[in-house]
Amino acid sequence: MINSMEDQIRFMLRQERQELNDDPDYDAMWRRIESKLSSSIASDDVMTSARVKKPLAAKIIPIACAAVLLAAAPAMAGVTIDWGALWRGESISDAISHGLGEELQETVVSGNIPFTITGVAADDYFMNVLFQLDLPPLADNDYIVFESVQLTNKEGREFGVESQLRADASATDSLIGVFQAENKLGGNKEHYDLKVNNLKLYKYRSFPLGVNPLDALHQPFALPYALGTESGLEVTNVIRSKGKLVITYEIDPVSHEEWQPAALSILTDSGDSVGEEFGVVLRTVPNGRVVKQSTFVLSDAELADAELAVTTAEVVSEVKAEWRFSFNVDRNDSLEAIYVNRLNEAVTTNDALMRFKELVVTPIDIRLPFDEDPAKSAGGAPYPRIEYEKQSLIIDGLEVEGWLGTPDLNNRYFSFQPPEWYDDWSQVPITLKLSERLVTDLNDKTSLIALRAPSSESQRAETRIGSFKLHIDYYMDGDDLITETSSEDPRFRSVTPYLYDEGKKIVPQFNPAPPSGNGTGIQVDRYTSAPKGDLELRILLYEWSDPDASTELNLQ
């Protein structure tokens, strides 16, 4: 799967480039990308403010409904929980401990399992509820999920809830987690009802397919886990390069509710199961199969005796329980930040597309909202165009890495976890460091690359773009033309190609890869139902990395 919104945006940018007939109009591209993303992001408009935020205060009122009510849990006293095991868990816990939330320690028991809500903290986008479960002995499992989580306010409006659930490293037979819901606190007080139902325990299972991964191309396989329904997969492409193995395959979706979606895995001679380093869903084909791509890291020795397998997760046990909480959240001016510094444009000017306007400190994180500089991103803007793959803040001498946040279509920002908390953020020196430059450049060559009567036998064409010598291996896979573009220069990332056939442009199928590439240094493109005979290929854009390049902006 695509693992983050940043990956999704980058993949869509590449898809947009492939759909171009002329030089790209980046404004139009971004509008189309926003339209595509809108179907997968369910969020209302979120207001922001520059005023100082007052602390959130919450009061939890446990309800004894199909559960046993306990007073504040004495078992928690003196116990240090490693909230850092959760995504942003440490930031949420720090906000609570610094008075920007409320420590609760209220417990409800159901199914012989104490469920403790330990605290609540919010920023202007999300409300976060930390919790812990003390488990009795359970069936052997690889992971546990809740069957359902429901959060409603006093008007009965239901909020979507994202759940994290992890093993607590500080205690045996304990789980910790966080519920995250959109923060819509508009007044001084809001009432919420939280209902959590049942635990499902999953165990991974691997089903050997009886073939070495390198010999699996175009072999149909029946999948035994489908429990009575006809189901299978077919490998459509295999690439081996630089210690990586990239397999593209079509697979029928799992139809039984007791099984999770499946992915390829590899069984080594030692009996170990090697999971994918990176996996992405490419598309769904007309017969209903899902097209996936998996990248594995294997030595030649491991691969020589390996066996291709399918791995999925099966429900091995369930715990019936229902935990209910009712709580009030009090806050004045709940949609506000702790500190906002309006940035001087002269300070934040950089060679990338990003334009930073303010530095925002919330109870949960430090944010740098940004948009694209129209002078650099408009369709007529000159190439090359610069991005940076890594962002970090140097806060009073301590460096912390950031990540891309996109809570809705109109807001993008870099988020950082504060290494320390300060009473007066205006006096804290903060520097933004942008590193690992990524360059997209326009191929100034208008000449076409000849592909001589592609057949099932692989042929090679070569060309030079900028400082890069490119190898283009091409062959027919049924009615489809496959091109494999690579360079011996490790800085090379990707190209935006298309075919010419009698003056008509043909773009390849959308084929995403992680931002840093799939690890093989080879870009594979598929042109469906390609014309027969001699063809011509043009490369419009090419992308390359400069991993040692960096720039620093002194924000305050």
Side-chain angles (χ1 to χ4, degrees):
M1 295 178 63
I2 297 175
N3 294 323
S4 69
M5 186 66 70
E6 181 178 11
D7 290 348
Q8 188 174 2
I9 290 171
R10 189 180 298 280
F11 297 157
M12 288 183 174
L13 277 170
R14 181 166 294 166
Q15 183 183 30
E16 288 287 340
R17 290 171 181 166
Q18 291 174 341
E19 294 173 354
L20 296 171
N21 291 324
D22 298 297
D23 291 347
D25 179 343
Y26 276 76
D27 283 342
M29 285 167 59
W30 188 254
R31 287 193 295 270
R32 289 193 294 270
I33 289 169
E34 288 180 339
S35 176
K36 293 176 183 178
L37 285 173
S38 63
S39 62
S40 61
I41 301 178
S43 62
D44 298 329
D45 293 337
V46 178
M47 299 176 59
T48 58
S49 172
R51 297 188 295 276
V52 177
K53 177 183 285 185
K54 294 182 175 61
L56 176 151
K59 182 179 181 181
I60 294 290
I61 310 166
I63 297 178
C65 180
V68 178
L69 175 63
L70 296 183
M76 293 294 297
V79 175
T80 300
I81 298 175
D82 181 17
W83 296 112
L86 300 168
W87 172 245
R88 303 184 76 188
E90 189 172 354
S91 293
I92 299 167
S93 177
D94 285 347
I96 295 170
S97 65
H98 285 87
L100 302 171
E102 182 74 11
E103 188 171 356
L104 300 169
Q105 302 297 353
E106 300 287 350
T107 300
V108 169
V109 176
S110 179
N112 199 32
I113 297 176
F115 190 127
T116 301
I117 293 181
T118 66
V120 180
D123 58 18
D124 46 352
Y125 289 129
F126 301 107
M127 181 174 70
N128 305 276
V129 181
L130 294 177
F131 63 85
Q132 182 198 34
L133 293 89
D134 293 319
L135 300 177
L138 298 175
D140 184 35
N141 67 88
D142 290 311
Y143 65 93
I144 301 174
V145 301
F146 295 117
E147 183 171 355
S148 66
V149 179
Q150 184 181 47
L151 180 71
T152 56
N153 63 8
K154 61 184 178 181
E155 287 81 23
R157 176 186 173 183
E158 186 170 346
F159 295 83
V161 179
E162 296 290 336
S163 303
Q164 293 185 63
L165 197 57
R166 299 286 186 272
D168 179 9
S170 64
T172 305
D173 297 328
S174 178
L175 296 177
I176 57 174
V178 58
F179 296 129
Q180 184 180 81
E182 185 183 4
N183 181 11
K184 300 299 290 184
L185 294 171
N188 294 335
K189 180 179 293 187
E190 183 67 272
H191 177 85
Y192 290 102
D193 291 312
L194 175 66
K195 182 173 72 172
V196 184
N197 283 335
N198 304 338
L199 292 173
K200 285 195 170 185
L201 285 63
Y202 283 87
K203 186 75 176 174
Y204 290 115
R205 288 188 61 188
S206 294
F207 298 92
L209 299 179
V211 64
N212 185 278
L214 296 178
D215 299 325
L217 191 62
H218 295 314
Q219 288 196 41
F221 299 98
L223 303 182
Y225 66 81
L227 304 178
T229 62
E230 294 183 2
S231 184
L233 71 81
E234 182 178 353
V235 175
T236 59
N237 199 287
V238 179
I239 294 177
R240 173 64 172 172
S241 178
K242 300 180 181 179
K244 302 291 181 69
L245 182 70
V246 180
I247 303 177
T248 305
Y249 59 101
E250 298 179 2
I251 187 169
D252 289 313
V254 175
S255 58
H256 198 284
E257 63 181 10
E258 295 304 309
W259 296 81
Q260 290 291 303
L264 281 184
S265 60
I266 293 176
L267 301 178
T268 65
D269 189 47
S270 62
D272 295 330
S273 178
V274 179
E276 58 192 15
E277 180 187 50
F278 173 78
V280 63
V281 176
L282 301 181
R283 58 192 171 274
T284 301
V285 292
N287 64 8
R289 282 187 166 181
V290 178
V291 182
K292 295 184 177 182
Q293 190 175 84
S294 297
T295 300
F296 303 91
V297 179
L298 288 165
S299 68
D300 290 339
E302 289 175 322
L303 184 57
D305 297 319
E307 183 177 6
L308 194 64
V310 170
T311 294
T312 183
E314 178 188 14
V315 175
V316 293
S317 182
E318 294 185 55
V319 177
K320 295 296 183 181
E322 182 178 274
W323 300 274
R324 289 189 179 225
F325 293 90
S326 181
F327 57 95
N328 297 321
V329 179
D330 298 311
R331 184 201 286 167
N332 299 319
D333 303 328
S334 62
L335 300 180
E336 299 172 4
I338 298 170
Y339 169 74
V340 176
N341 179 11
R342 308 297 182 186
L343 299 174
N344 189 322
E345 185 175 349
V347 172
T348 62
T349 299
N350 61 88
D351 59 355
L353 295 175
M354 296 173 292
R355 185 172 59 177
F356 302 102
K357 294 185 176 182
E358 60 184 14
L359 172 72
V360 182
V361 179
T362 82
I364 307 299
D365 62 358
I366 300 175
R367 296 186 193 148
L368 271 177
F370 68 91
D371 57 15
E372 290 190 359
D373 188 338
K376 299 177 182 177
S377 61
Y383 287 91
R385 296 188 178 159
I386 309 298
E387 300 173 75
Y388 286 91
E389 295 191 284
K390 184 178 178 180
Q391 308 82 29
S392 59
L393 278 188
I394 303 172
I395 306 169
D396 200 17
L398 299 176
E399 185 170 349
V400 292
E401 290 191 20
W403 56 279
L404 177 66
T406 53
D408 58 58
L409 296 177
N410 300 314
N411 294 280
R412 287 179 292 159
Y413 59 83
F414 294 125
S415 174
F416 307 86
Q417 179 175 314
E420 302 286 347
W421 277 93
Y422 300 88
D423 293 332
D424 184 2
W425 281 93
S426 66
Q427 302 302 310
V428 181
I430 299 178
T431 299
L432 173 65
K433 182 178 180 181
L434 303 172
S435 55
E436 299 183 10
R437 180 186 292 154
L438 188 65
V439 182
T440 301
D441 212 345
L442 183 67
N443 180 16
D444 57 5
K445 291 185 178 180
T446 58
S447 58
L448 301 174
I449 303 163
L451 306 182
R452 303 296 184 189
S455 67
S456 58
E457 297 295 324
S458 180
Q459 303 178 67
R460 171 168 286 192
E462 294 185 340
T463 189
R464 180 171 290 277
I465 298 178
S467 61
F468 300 98
K469 182 179 180 180
L470 301 184
H471 309 295
I472 304 171
D473 296 319
Y474 60 96
Y475 54 91
M476 297 298 293
D477 180 22
D479 293 330
D480 298 347
L481 172 69
I482 307 295
T483 61
E484 299 179 359
T485 306
S486 62
S487 173
E488 295 172 357
D489 191 322
R491 298 175 302 158
F492 168 74
R493 285 292 184 82
S494 65
V495 294
T496 303
Y498 54 80
L499 285 179
Y500 258 118
D501 178 51
E502 298 180 352
K504 179 182 177 182
K505 295 179 181 179
I506 305 172
V507 298
Q509 282 184 342
F510 180 42
N511 186 19
S516 57
N518 61 23
T520 67
I522 301 173
Q523 176 180 324
V524 180
D525 291 297
R526 176 180 290 266
Y527 300 83
T528 58
S529 302
K532 309 301 182 192
D534 292 344
L535 300 171
E536 294 177 311
L537 185 75
R538 185 189 174 192
I539 294 176
L540 176 63
L541 301 172
Y542 65 104
E543 191 175 69
W544 56 281
S545 66
D546 188 357
D548 297 326
S550 66
T551 187
E552 293 188 1
L553 308 176
N554 293 318
L555 304 181
Q556 64 177 44

